[in-house]
DNA sequence: GAGTGGTCTAGACCACCTG
DNA sequence: AGGTGGTCTAGACCACTCG
């Protein structure tokens, strides 16, 4: 709804990065160039770039420029970038198997987060995905997305295999926050089998609630991690 | 070394918050007041406050002001605030027991992070702490701090029981980043006993490397979490 | 030396909150 | 209505990188 110059620039650059106009390691146009091209002050350009740096899309270097950055060294799965963004451009062989495609259904009983009335009055897209790195299964994710005007969501092919990118590009919804609870647990039979671990092996479990740029729109995940082969890495600054 | 107006204001306000001049929920002086009192533009004040908001010291509300914020809802132990900052002002009964006080020693063999030559040529402060919430043991932390000019560190009493606050106030060193690897594991005997869990109970383990405002100065932790009683929460935005 | 991002000034108008 | 933070302009000087 609200429209700001810095926000428009930010969204433009972001979608250009996601679409591949600017690739990993590329330099964005300089602040002076962006300010003259888009007819705004350098202050405003810097505001946009600052946000993008905070979100991890770019790294700024004094005297050099703004460098496009999408990779992280390891599996940054405790930060709130999506799996594909985090893993995407590294050397790892990544696969992303959808076990249960987006299906519209009712909310499960005893949902792991408390839901608002509006959420409860809609149905929900359920998605179950299995993620592997170098043919090691590392993560099983159950995702629940309330159907607040997501047209034809079940027919979409995820852009770059990424749910986050799809939401930005197709629905102009940005993920802005993530809240999670993490525990070490013993897996149940089915989860152990899917993650290819023994039933006595400890695994990591997380409940997540994602906040978005769309007022009142949240979505939820329950995730299981096999940390035998790959530790879960994360980096904050 | 480098000195900027926004950085000085930032450090002043931060230390005032840590020392209790401004308490949880208080409003900081308005941007206009800060700019006239400290003789700088509002832009510069905003720069300082922006950094502080990013670091989680304050929350800004349009039309209201900048609200001092130190608590998080749950145990935000996967973010990189220190334990004391995260837990500090909530309703929980927190204890922070130092099992092995800061002792100067050599680096362990096969240290969990790769160390630089400068680091290897110094000795290191070792610190072992046990953290409890409402009398449930939740965390065991082994901390390794290279002795790069930390005078009398072994004699310090941690300010507010917090290592992070002590470093800011006594040594002007700020923690600016954190890198970690997380795994679900079975505890060894000693750790199980200290965390008060069964040896078959899964626990969560993390290796951490903290980056600081002091060039080339890092410190390290190996942490074990009991997630039976309290899940590890974290919030990102 | 030319170009880059980092810091900083001195203003302006706006939307939001509270008495 | 008065004060707050949010957005934005139009400049300036600096430290850094690179050819």
């Amino acid at each position: 709804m609200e429209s700001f110059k810095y926000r428009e620039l930010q969204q433009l650059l972001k979608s250009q990065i996601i679409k591949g106009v600017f690739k990993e390691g590329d330099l964005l146009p300089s602040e002076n160039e962006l300010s003259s091209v888009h007819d705004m002050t350098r202050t405003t350009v810097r505001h946009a770039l600052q946000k993008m740096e905070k979100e991890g899309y770019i790294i700024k270097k004094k005297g050099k420029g703004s460098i496009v950055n999408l990779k992280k060294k390891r599996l940054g799965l405790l930060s709130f970038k999506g799996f594909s963004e985090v893993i995407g451009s590294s050397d790892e062989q990544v696969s992303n198997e959808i076990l249960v495609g987006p299906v519209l259904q009712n909310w499960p009983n005893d949902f792991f987060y408390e839901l608002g009335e509006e959420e409860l009055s809609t149905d929900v897209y359920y998605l179950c995905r299995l993620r592997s790195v170098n043919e090691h299964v590392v993560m099983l994710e159950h995702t629940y997305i309330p159907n607040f005007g997501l047209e034809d969501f079940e027919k979409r092919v995820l852009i770059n295999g990424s749910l986050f990118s799809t939401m930005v590009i197709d629905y102009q919804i940005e993920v802005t926050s993530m809240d999670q609870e993490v525990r070490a647990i013993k897996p149940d039979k089915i989860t152990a089998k899917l993650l290819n671990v023994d039933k006595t092996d400890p695994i990591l479990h997380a409940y997540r609630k994602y906040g978005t740029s769309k007022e009142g729109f949240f979505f939820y995940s329950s995730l299981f991690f096999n940390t035998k082969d790959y530790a879960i890495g994360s980096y904050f600054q």
Side-chain angles (χ1 to χ4, degrees), chain A:
Chain A
M1 309 310 122
E2 44 183 1
S3 158
F4 302 115
K5 291 181 98 170
Y6 83 87
R7 196 140 187 68
E8 279 166 21
L9 176 59
Q10 189 189 346
Q11 302 222 353
L12 173 68
L13 292 173
K14 234 185 264 187
S15 67
Q16 285 179 330
I17 289 175
I18 293 173
K19 287 174 181 163
V21 180
F22 302 112
K23 300 191 183 65
E24 179 72 29
D26 284 359
L27 288 176
L28 291 187
S30 76
E31 297 181 352
N32 282 315
E33 190 175 342
L34 288 172
S35 71
S36 69
V37 168
H38 295 94
D39 191 36
M40 50 178 77
T41 342
R42 226 188 104 204
T43 311
T44 305
V45 172
R46 283 181 63 72
H47 194 170
L49 295 183
Q50 215 161 57
K51 293 264 184 183
M52 291 181 61
E53 183 175 31
K54 190 180 160 189
E55 295 168 22
Y57 284 86
I58 58 173
I59 294 171
K60 292 172 141 215
K61 298 274 190 194
K62 193 197 290 198
K64 191 90 179 293
S66 299
I67 304 165
V68 174
N69 164 264
L70 287 173
K71 66 161 173 276
K72 299 229 171 163
K73 274 180 196 162
R74 291 189 309 291
L75 315 190
L77 297 174
L78 293 174
S79 69
F80 83 98
K81 281 189 171 182
F83 183 82
S84 306
E85 282 77 6
V86 166
I87 306 294
S89 48
S90 60
D91 298 333
E92 320 283 351
Q93 275 285 343
V94 178
S95 88
N96 190 345
E97 188 186 352
I98 298 187
L99 299 183
V100 181
V103 286
L104 213 46
Q105 56 178 46
N106 294 321
W107 290 97
N109 295 329
D110 292 322
F111 194 66
F112 50 85
Y113 267 92
E114 203 162 335
L115 297 166
E117 284 186 23
E118 284 194 48
E119 287 176 311
L120 280 170
S121 68
T122 70
D123 35 21
V124 58
Y125 284 109
Y126 170 70
L127 200 57
C128 177
R129 290 173 293 173
L130 196 62
R131 273 77 177 270
S132 307
V133 176
N134 295 333
E135 297 181 9
H136 294 274
V137 179
V138 294
M139 175 171 133
L140 175 69
E141 175 167 14
H142 305 274
T143 308
Y144 301 86
I145 307 174
N147 182 24
F148 284 155
L150 298 179
E151 283 181 32
D152 296 333
F153 183 68
E154 69 275 16
K155 296 177 194 159
R156 303 271 166 189
V157 176
L158 298 187
I159 295 171
N160 300 340
S162 160
L163 178 60
F164 282 33
S165 295
T166 305
M167 299 190 83
V168 173
I169 302 291
D170 286 353
Y171 301 103
Q172 287 76 51
I173 294 174
E174 295 209 59
V175 179
T176 55
S177 69
M178 189 263 278
D179 186 50
Q180 72 180 354
E181 285 186 9
V182 181
R183 290 178 181 81
I185 63 167
K186 294 176 189 169
D188 60 42
K189 269 188 194 171
I190 298 171
T191 305
K193 196 166 185 183
L194 288 169
L195 285 180
N196 196 25
V197 298
D198 194 83
K199 63 178 189 289
T200 64
D201 285 331
I203 63 170
L204 199 145
H205 178 252
Y207 287 128
R208 285 190 184 171
K209 176 179 185 173
Y210 293 98
T212 71
S213 53
K214 187 174 173 183
E215 177 77 19
F217 181 65
F218 302 94
F219 62 97
Y220 305 86
S221 276
S222 170
L223 307 98
F224 300 90
F225 299 93
N226 169 7
T227 58
K228 269 196 319 185
D229 306 310
Y230 288 87
I232 305 303
S234 52
Y235 181 71
F236 305 101
Q237 65 178 183

